[in-house]
Amino acid sequence: MTRIASPHASSRFVPSRRGLLLGAGAALLARPALAQSWQPARPVEFIVAAGPGGGTDQFARIVQSIVQKHNLMRTPIIVSNKGGGAGTEAFVYGRGAAGDPHKVVFGTNNVWLMPLVTRVGYGLADLRPVASMAADEFILWTYTDAPYRTAKDLVEAARAQNGTFRMGGSQARDTDHILTKQIERATGVTFTYVPFRSGGEVAIQLAGKHVEANTNNPAENVAQWRAGRVRPLCVFNPQRLTLTEKVHDGVGWSDIPTSTEAGIGPADFRMPRTVWLPARTTDAQAAFWTELLSRVRETPEWKAWLQAGSQGDLWQTGAELASFIREDEATNRAHFREYGWLVEQG
Amino acid sequence: MEGLPALLHGFEVALTAYHLGLMVAGVLIGILVGVLPGLGAPNGVALLMPLTFFMPPVSAIILLSSMYWGALLGGSTTSILFNIPGEPSSVATTFDGHPMAKQGRAAEALSLAFLCSGFGALAGVITITIVADDIAEFALRFSPAEYFAVYLLAFCAFIGMGGANPLKTAVSLLVGLSLATIGMDTVSGEMRLTFGQDELVRGISFLVAVIGLFGIGELLATADETEKVEGIRARVRLAAVLKTLVELPRYWVALLRSAAIGIWMGLTPGGPTAASFMSYGIARRFSKRGDNFGRGEPEGVVSPETSDHAAGVSALLPMLALGVPGSATAAVMLGGLMIWGLQPGPMLFQDRPDFVWGLIASMYVANLVAVVLVLATVPIFASVMRAPFGLLAPLIMAICLTGAWMVSGSGFDVLLAIGFGVLGYLMKKLDYPIAPMVLAMVLGDKAEDAFRQSMLISQGNLTVFWSNWLVGSITTLALLLLAWPVLAWLLRGGVQLSRRPAA
Amino acid sequence: MSRPDDRLGGRRAAELGMALGAAGFGGVVVLGALQHDTGWGPTGPGAGYFPLRIGLLLIGVAAILALLQLRAAAGRFAEPGALRRVARLLAPTLVFGIAIAPLGTYVPMALFLLWMARVEARAGWPVALALALGTPAAFFLLFETWLGVPLAKGPLEEALGIY
């Protein structure tokens, strides 16, 4: 197979090398896709802050495939998964790559939430936010023949059970756990939160009635819903979902009441999907990636992916994104202090 | 059986020239990936994944699953010829496969391994065909307590039936369980046993450990024994294959038992690695030729190979039907499924019958293709063994260190692999079994999670492990296996156990 | 215990050392576990619950193994000269392994293979050079260009513009 590979070797690597040696100018002007003051000169690495298969992994890989399909960039893209320590491995790696604009990190809000709850080898200052591209919805689910018809019923049943009501979620002190805590804050009940490894596992456990509820993302539970094993109670979004497709028994995404309609809190809980560069990269380099991602966002493939997972469109960049992160971090810090989760609290 | 017309439709999907071409390509890449240590089936599938984005999902899954079968067979090849398992699941094949090769029976060992793999795969895919409609309901019964009981069963089976000194097996298992706790704790989100080191945050990869313990450790042990390794020549002639095929029915007990173990471990989340070990252990305990195990006994190749493949094949069923992967490779494929826009789950069988049954039909064909191809290409890989050890050892060492680097691109992992190599050498010299440690590293954190989830759900009540017939019988069986050495000692008047440590 | 060979490469000493090493590792696990909640925490059994018990069990089992060694028969751990052969393979490997992170995979690999082929295996220059240069080249083609897996790069690769 080495014989097959060798022509590729020369065609793939020599031009980029020559481009570098001759000075970037001539080579870059020839590129039609994006006229920018900075262009990647080497293969780019997309670092996924999750193992293969989950939502974050799909996020990075869909961006990669769109960039390649629409030829938005000349240099090849390598996707590598660094999901250790709930994604912190990727951010520590990003810290080590300070100043290198060829390393792009894909994560969620865990970038700024993980340092609050556990000892990690990086700080928020080690990464530069580029864009937030989507927001994953959270829905309260129960199994189909459960006695609760509405979210309110479920909360009252949990109140009566006095803390033994089993709420499944993926990972501890991660989004599902934070949302569970916020429901507790808003309603004054207590759940037994049972952490599993992934949303898929939680979906099965709910379908098998081993837990009584979960707060899975739409994509994680839709197959079980379609099979009629689980049903949604409310979505944690001020607006109802827009997708009108009927999933099971005449009920569809847009029929799910919002948490405010259902009379429980919090009113708004979503998870942004974010893209980062290492610290000490220049504004021009960040601008290149912002521009590239905004093009990705306009493609039909991207829209189809958002819709397939019932994810919301959330486009934030630059100062707007930075201030959103600051506020969200401060709010969560205050909440976590209340729960005793902060790392400095021990 | 309502599956039959669906299966016939599946064959229509699978038996196109394009899909047959994908099967051949997938199997060949798989054999290569399986032969190279450190680049196992999970990595291989992950590496090929980007190529599949623009294929129809059924073509993509046929390519990736064919690669998986090739990797399973490639792993067995290196186990037998070099005593280096290319895959964790082919570790048990080294125990008797390599001694057979050393005795000049390499061709017999290889054809036996491949034919048994084929048999195991066939048994697995027939099971899938039959139970596909009912499996989803059954697997939903698995709560954390059932999961924990299954893991406990795998651990206890090692101590009770592994054949090595039970105390040394226990040490190996406990070290593996300890290593598995390093890094982030799923339940509490805390960093454990990292002592402030960033390198330890992602935990210790069992792939790195396997490369060190088996690859590097074996090289050091070989250097210890002699400067020369007997050149194991393997040219698998058609006559040898046919002879083995004729002799195969002789092992019908082992074949059926191992296939059953493999299918069970694949459907439950035990996976091929645990299946092959359990099958080997049980064969060693119950076979009439049990005393020959470890010295080149053909049944010691038949048992793990059949189970390994049966489990690998049947592990795809819970992945499709439930989204719970039965093996590491199935877990990566599960990710692919979602990227291709499919929702794994019970409804996949109704919504996308062409996908599901195309895959199932392709498993019949691709496994046949894989066995034929691996028999044909073995001489290429075997010819490497004719090189002198002094040149071969550094070459394999370079492959091992590169493989360790590739696991996560970290220099620390390379040093860790060398450290595991020294440990593996010492364990080999002192008769500590290595396999339990690897199994414990793979299943350790899952077992711990399942235990803690069970305790949360039952509010700390241990009777949850006997709360229904399913979990109760698994737990009881596990404890009986654990007590087996003591029971055997009591039954035989306490002679056997006290002699064992010296052996 | 009387023969010098027994003291250096003695089986009993090695067994004892291995058992004590395992017990020591168990001790480290227990220490690590004690930094966490080892009882019942807010999310069930705490983070230290499992490691503490595993560590204590390990210490216990290893201690029994060590005690059993005291009445085991003495024997050889390794044949004379064997440990030397192991060290002559292990030491260059260790240097190679340490060099990968700063210098990349390719240069240390070529030097390692050249050393092993020339000095240890006493191969002729043509064979040694073919092994030392051919292997990294084959690795590059296989992994970097065909499979798309990046290997470690060092200053030489940087200077050549191969990334």
Side-chain angles (χ1 to χ4, degrees), chain B residues 146-178:
Chain B
E146 279 82 7
Y147 280 105
F148 179 74
V150 169
Y151 300 137
L152 188 68
L153 179 66
F155 296 145
C156 293
F158 257 119
I159 296 179
M161 317 220 108
N165 179 338
L167 289 174
K168 288 184 173 178
T169 311
V171 166
S172 181
L173 201 59
L174 289 167
V175 171
L177 286 173
S178 306

Side-chain angles (χ1 to χ4, degrees), chain B residues 404-494:
Chain B
W405 166 273
M406 280 192 301
V407 170
S408 58
S410 141
F412 177 74
D413 279 353
V414 177
L415 298 181
L416 205 57
I418 297 176
F420 273 111
V422 175
L423 181 64
Y425 166 71
L426 292 175
M427 288 174 79
K428 248 177 205 131
K429 296 291 288 183
L430 298 173
D431 302 322
Y432 280 80
I434 293 174
M437 191 160 141
V438 175
L439 182 92
M441 285 186 74
V442 177
L443 296 183
D445 49 354
K446 288 189 194 153
E448 185 190 353
D449 282 358
F451 176 76
R452 290 161 76 179
Q453 287 154 359
S454 310
M455 290 291 98
L456 261 176
I457 285 175
S458 73
Q459 307 287 320
N461 193 341
L462 277 172
T463 55
V464 69
F465 298 116
W466 284 271
S467 56
N468 62 54
W469 68 266
L470 180 63
V471 66
S473 46
I474 304 175
T475 313
T476 307
L477 182 62
L479 294 183
L480 279 176
L481 283 177
L482 181 66
W484 180 258
V486 180
L487 291 177
W489 181 70
L490 288 175
L491 288 174
R492 293 173 201 185

Side-chain angles (χ1 to χ4, degrees), chain A residues 182-226:
Chain A
Q182 292 199 7
I183 301 172
E184 289 182 353
R185 267 173 68 92
T187 59
V189 298
T190 334
F191 299 105
T192 293
Y193 178 79
V194 187
F196 291 87
R197 203 156 274 267
S198 68
E201 261 177 57
V202 190
I204 309 289
Q205 291 297 321
L206 181 62
K209 304 176 195 175
H210 305 298
V211 295
E212 280 143 306
N214 71 28
T215 57
N216 264 354
N217 307 124
E220 292 166 337
N221 260 24
V222 62
Q224 297 294 343
W225 185 17
R226 198 159 278 151

Side-chain angles (χ1 to χ4, degrees), chain A residues 53 89 172 195 197 204 210 229, chain B residues 140 187 202 322 338 449 453:
Chain A
E89 185 193 354
R197 203 156 274 267
I204 309 289
H210 305 298
R229 296 179 204 279
Chain B
L140 280 180
V187 177
R202 65 172 179 273
L322 286 171
M338 295 191 281
D449 282 358
Q453 287 154 359

Side-chain angles (χ1 to χ4, degrees), chain B residues 134-384:
Chain B
D134 306 317
I135 185 66
E137 285 301 329
F138 175 70
L140 280 180
R141 304 175 62 124
F142 269 61
S143 78
E146 279 82 7
Y147 280 105
F148 179 74
V150 169
Y151 300 137
L152 188 68
L153 179 66
F155 296 145
C156 293
F158 257 119
I159 296 179
M161 317 220 108
N165 179 338
L167 289 174
K168 288 184 173 178
T169 311
V171 166
S172 181
L173 201 59
L174 289 167
V175 171
L177 286 173
S178 306
L179 291 171
T181 64
I182 295 175
M184 168 150 318
D185 168 34
T186 331
V187 177
S188 67
E190 289 171 35
M191 289 296 170
R192 293 190 297 186
L193 293 170
T194 56
F195 299 101
Q197 301 298 306
D198 282 348
E199 283 93 349
L200 292 176
V201 163
R202 65 172 179 273
I204 291 181
S205 157
F206 76 93
L207 290 170
V208 172
V210 165
I211 292 169
L213 291 169
F214 291 106
I216 300 175
E218 175 64 22
L219 286 174
L220 295 177
T222 314
D224 169 304
E225 281 157 18
T226 166
E227 282 185 312
K228 287 187 208 103
V229 115
E230 302 93 287
I232 297 172
R233 306 173 71 120
R235 206 172 298 142
V236 186
R237 293 214 174 80
L238 191 61
V241 179
L242 291 176
K243 188 164 162 277
T244 314
L245 190 62
V246 171
E247 285 170 4
L248 206 56
R250 207 193 288 165
Y251 306 106
W252 66 275
V253 181
L255 280 170
L256 291 182
R257 182 184 56 219
S258 307
I261 293 169
I263 290 165
W264 167 254
M265 293 300 274
L267 293 182
T268 61
T273 308
S276 58
F277 283 122
M278 193 182 266
S279 174
Y280 184 87
I282 288 175
R284 184 187 181 122
R285 176 66 61 180
F286 292 109
S287 167
K288 269 177 277 170
R289 292 184 289 272
D291 288 344
N292 293 338
F293 272 55
R295 302 194 204 117
E297 165 59 42
E299 213 179 310
V301 176
V302 170
S303 303
E305 278 299 310
T306 311
S307 288
D308 177 8
H309 239 92
V313 168
S314 44
L316 292 192
L317 186 59
M319 177 198 86
L320 294 170
L322 286 171
V324 174
S327 70
T329 315
V332 185
M333 286 191 202
L334 183 74
L337 233 62
M338 295 191 281
I339 295 178
W340 305 322
L342 298 176
Q343 285 297 340
M347 290 310 281
L348 191 66
F349 285 75
Q350 273 91 344
D351 290 349
R352 301 294 298 269
D354 53 329
F355 175 84
V356 172
W357 291 102
L359 169 62
I360 292 175
S362 88
M363 296 205 275
Y364 285 97
V365 187
N367 275 294
L368 189 70
V369 171
V371 171
V372 172
L373 276 178
V374 78
L375 283 169
T377 54
V378 146
I380 301 172
F381 298 112
S383 64
V384 181

Side-chain angles (χ1 to χ4, degrees), chain C residues 28-52:
Chain C
V28 173
V29 173
V30 168
L31 280 183
L34 288 176
Q35 295 177 0
H36 301 276
D37 187 352
T38 55
W40 187 273
T43 48
Y49 183 96
F50 219 69
L52 179 70

